[in-house]
Amino acid sequence: MSGELPVPLPAELRYSAADPYAVRLSLGAPAAPPVDWVFARSLLAQGLSRPTGSGDVVVFPERRYRPDAIRILLRTRAGAALLEVSGAVVTAFLQRAHAVVPPGTEHRHIDLDHVVDQLTAGRE
């Protein structure tokens, strides 16, 4: 990753009240189907101001060269990718997501019957 030239990559952040704790980061590439990464909405929000995350997804502010940027590190067994995103874009996205489901109210938007059905499907 260090020393490599940046490559523009189409990306889209999505949020749905149907999965209130999560955000989806959809990454596209020319001539390839998009790849979705799903991670905690709170991880994205906390990453605006401080490094957060310790697994496959780590989010942290880039203060040295681009003070308004945040970086999202995505890791798999096969390798890693470091994305840089405008902090203003992420902030606006989170404001819209918080308007749909305010932080702390996520539990009110979970359909427990549906979750139980998914967990027990095929176990009869």
Side-chain angles (χ1 to χ4, degrees):
M1 288 187 311
S2 65
E4 294 182 17
L5 295 175
V7 176
L9 182 66
E12 178 181 32
L13 283 167
R14 293 191 308 256
Y15 180 77
S16 169
D19 193 0
Y21 289 102
V23 294
R24 290 185 184 280
L25 174 60
S26 184
L27 302 172
V35 175
D36 286 346
W37 286 76
V38 180
F39 53 95
R41 175 174 75 164
S42 61
L43 187 140
L44 186 61
Q46 292 168 4
L48 286 169
S49 59
R50 62 182 168 81
T52 188
S54 60
D56 295 343
V57 179
V58 178
V59 182
F60 54 97
E62 165 49 81
R63 302 214 193 278
R64 181 178 281 171
Y65 301 108
R66 294 197 50 223
D68 180 49
I70 66 160
R71 290 188 170 178
I72 302 172
L73 176 62
L74 305 172
R75 296 187 277 216
T76 68
R77 288 187 200 122
L82 181 62
L83 309 175
E84 191 169 276
V85 184
S86 162
V89 168
V90 173
T91 298
F93 168 78
L94 287 169
Q95 287 172 342
R96 291 189 306 272
H98 291 164
V100 173
V101 177
T105 67
E106 293 92 349
H107 64 282
R108 295 183 196 151
H109 297 269
I110 294 180
D111 181 352
L112 289 178
D113 291 333
H114 178 69
V115 171
V116 170
D117 286 346
Q118 285 185 319
L119 291 173
T120 59
R123 291 188 176 178
E124 296 188 27

